[in-house]
Amino acid sequence: QKEVEQNSGPLSVPEGAIASLNCTYSDRGSQSFFWYRQYSGKSPELIMSIYSNGDKEDGRFTAQLNKASQYVSLLIRDSQPSDSATYLCAVNRNGNKLVFGAGTILRVKS
Amino acid sequence: GAVVSQHPSWVICKSGTSVKIECRSLDFQATTMFWYRQFPKQSLMLMATSNEGSKATYEQGVEKDKFLINHASLTLSTLTVTSAHPEDSSFYICSAGSGTSGGETQYFGPGTRLLVL
């Protein structure tokens, strides 16, 4: 079992729809969780961090964390073609090293 | 805030030469920096964790004598690829950690593309 698992996609959504990206992790001791966006040929860019159970909203993005289910998700409302990228879920156990999922490719079609 | 720069952005070199890549945190101090490598259509692979003033910690399978890391200050870490060969051609990305241990957020530099001929 991989430490951080994501569906590789591609996930295709029409412009204006809600994109839902999911991630599960194996280590119950994980303390902090991050979503990064990576455009083709570019380095990852931090979108959201979340540390507590529940929802955290920032603009069109909402991160959701459920530690009991070991599940973290990212919702993107009003999806735009510019949101098309690979989304990386990352988990920090105890310390400063992140464990990354393989990423989910999102395609927003206009 | 939390800007990380890398230099150079592109390197083309001959096989057998050494290449140095710099990673700087521009507006914060980073006690820890990380070096990743990414091959086309693959995920990030952590190579090593670099702590200011101490030796880097390398991931399993990464040759420490080939990938030399120096973290001389709280804002600068360097990666030197020694005696580079075509199989070392890749996208090298650094990140700098900001925040308390256990919840540290990593901010990535723009990456350096290395092509070894």
Side-chain angles (χ1 to χ4, degrees):
Chain A
Q1 181 187 11
K2 293 182 180 177
E3 290 189 66
V4 179
E5 296 210 48
Q6 295 180 255
N7 188 321
S8 62
L11 172 66
S12 292
V13 300
E15 184 175 357
I18 296 175
S20 178
L21 304 162
N22 304 314
C23 172
T24 57
Y25 59 94
S26 61
D27 192 330
R28 285 194 173 276
S30 301
Q31 297 184 342
S32 48
F33 308 85
F34 304 87
W35 282 99
Y36 289 86
R37 175 175 63 196
Q38 186 174 24
Y39 291 112
S40 180
K42 301 294 185 181
S43 67
E45 171 192 11
L46 180 67
I47 298 176
M48 296 278 289
S49 60
I50 186 166
Y51 306 97
S52 305
N53 279 327
D55 295 359
K56 179 181 178 183
E57 186 175 319
D58 184 0
R60 295 187 296 115
F61 300 97
T62 298
Q64 299 174 317
L65 175 61
N66 184 325
K67 289 187 178 180
S69 299
Q70 296 173 241
Y71 175 92
V72 58
S73 66
L74 179 70
L75 300 178
I76 306 174
R77 290 181 298 282
D78 188 24
S79 296
Q80 301 297 310
S82 58
D83 294 326
S84 298
T86 297
Y87 288 80
L88 302 171
C89 172
V91 174
N92 183 314
R93 286 185 295 228
N94 185 14
N96 52 22
K97 192 163 74 172
L98 291 181
V99 179
F100 283 86
T104 298
I105 298 171
L106 173 66
R107 292 180 183 158
V108 181
K109 297 182 178 180
S110 58
Chain B
V3 178
V4 178
S5 70
Q6 264 184 260
H7 178 81
S9 55
W10 271 97
V11 181
I12 301 175
C13 69
K14 293 181 179 180
S15 184
T17 60
S18 294
V19 174
K20 180 186 278 190
I21 303 170
E22 290 188 351
C23 177
R24 293 180 184 272
S25 56
L26 299 184
D27 52 1
F28 67 101
Q29 292 185 329
T31 53
T32 309
M33 289 185 173
F34 305 85
W35 288 96
Y36 295 84
R37 182 166 55 180
Q38 188 174 38
F39 293 105
K41 299 190 184 301
Q42 293 187 23
S43 189
L44 292 169
M45 186 193 85
L46 179 65
M47 299 175 67
T49 302
S50 166
N51 292 295
E52 185 265 339
S54 63
K55 291 183 179 180
T57 302
Y58 290 82
E59 295 299 300
Q60 190 174 7
V62 178
E63 300 175 57
K64 61 180 181 181
D65 294 330
K66 181 169 183 63
F67 298 100
L68 300 178
I69 292 172
N70 183 277
H71 193 157
S73 75
L74 288 173
T75 59
L76 173 64
S77 176
T78 60
L79 168 69
T80 301
V81 183
T82 62
S83 186
H85 291 284
E87 59 265 29
D88 298 321
S89 299
S90 188
F91 189 34
Y92 291 86
I93 314 171
C94 74
S95 71
S98 174
T100 57
S101 178
E104 198 160 69
T105 301
Q106 289 187 28
Y107 297 92
F108 285 85
T112 297
R113 293 204 177 276
L114 171 63
L115 176 61
V116 185
L117 303 175

